[in-house]
Amino acid sequence: MMEWLQILLPAWTMGTLLVFLTAPLGCLMLWRRMSFFADTMAHGTLLGVAIAGALSLPLWLGVTALAFLLVGILWVLHDPRLPNDALLALCSATLLCSGLLFIQHIPSLRPELLSYLFGDLLQISWSDLPMFAFVIIAALAVLYKNWQAQIQIAIDPDMAVSEGVNAKWQRLVFMLLLALFTVLALRAVGSLLMGALLVIPALTARLLAHSPKQMVVWAFVVAQIGISVGLWSSAGLDTSTGLTIVLTMAILFAVIFAVQKFKKLS
């Protein structure tokens, strides 16, 4: 029992820390209709892993560099003539294919391909937590400072600009925070499931909340339940941690949605 706790407790602590960032970012992403952006950033992490492996660099360095490079590329590509979701779909497909192609030709990375795709939270140790905690606290401080402006832009961008909010700067801040989230979440749920970790709790919270503050709180609760139940269930059932966490959140959404529909019909 103690051996299991030594493995599961650091992983659960990391998941809990990550939820503090997941809830507000997921809600902002839903309000700003930028769900595709999370998937694009997530798929880009695979290419970062491959480049770091090829150059014998730390994987976190490759992922971080690629994430922030992608923010710059999307910033340059922003054009009123080009639909935002189409640009994100283009970048997402390109990055995912490039990453998988690179990894296939780097033998040392092939055995760990599944953990890059679907995550392995159980690999987290106590020594990893201080750095993760520091980064998450710093990100939350930046988000807190810009929260009101982000809300204003999500509600009415034109009105926010007329009130003095720098929309371009706030867009950059939001993209950089999401880039940072993808770097942190790679170990938890992998590159293919990061979008789900952001979207599903926020989507579920939208069914329960009546204000932005309530939505963030509910998103936190749903994400925490998903992390906790998914993590401990994956250990008991011997299943992939990332897949089990996301499926737990999806089941929770389905149950709440079905209950609300049934109440309306009755």
Side-chain angles (χ1 to χ4, degrees), residues 7 16 39 46 75 78-79 93 99 128 140 144 167 175 196 204-205 226 239-240:
I7 296 173
T16 299
D39 283 333
L46 266 186
W75 185 262
H78 184 65
D79 190 316
D128 297 321
L140 285 172
Y144 178 78
M175 289 197 297
T204 308
T239 55
S240 168

Side-chain angles (χ1 to χ4, degrees), residues 36-123:
F36 265 123
F37 183 74
D39 283 333
T40 304
M41 295 299 303
H43 293 168
T45 58
L46 266 186
L47 183 56
V49 166
I51 292 173
L55 299 176
S56 300
L57 296 171
L59 296 185
W60 67 266
L61 183 60
V63 172
T64 304
L66 200 284
F68 287 104
L69 177 63
L70 180 56
V71 169
I73 292 171
L74 289 171
W75 185 262
V76 172
L77 287 177
H78 184 65
D79 190 316
R81 298 170 299 172
L82 303 174
N84 198 43
D85 56 347
L87 272 178
L88 291 173
L90 167 66
C91 292
S92 179
T94 303
L95 290 167
L96 181 61
C97 293
S98 301
L100 289 173
L101 194 63
F102 265 87
I103 287 176
Q104 283 181 350
H105 290 84
I106 303 176
S108 61
L109 293 178
R110 284 183 211 161
E112 299 181 34
L113 179 59
L114 284 179
S115 69
Y116 298 138
L117 291 175
F118 305 116
D120 191 358
L121 196 56
L122 297 179
Q123 290 183 357

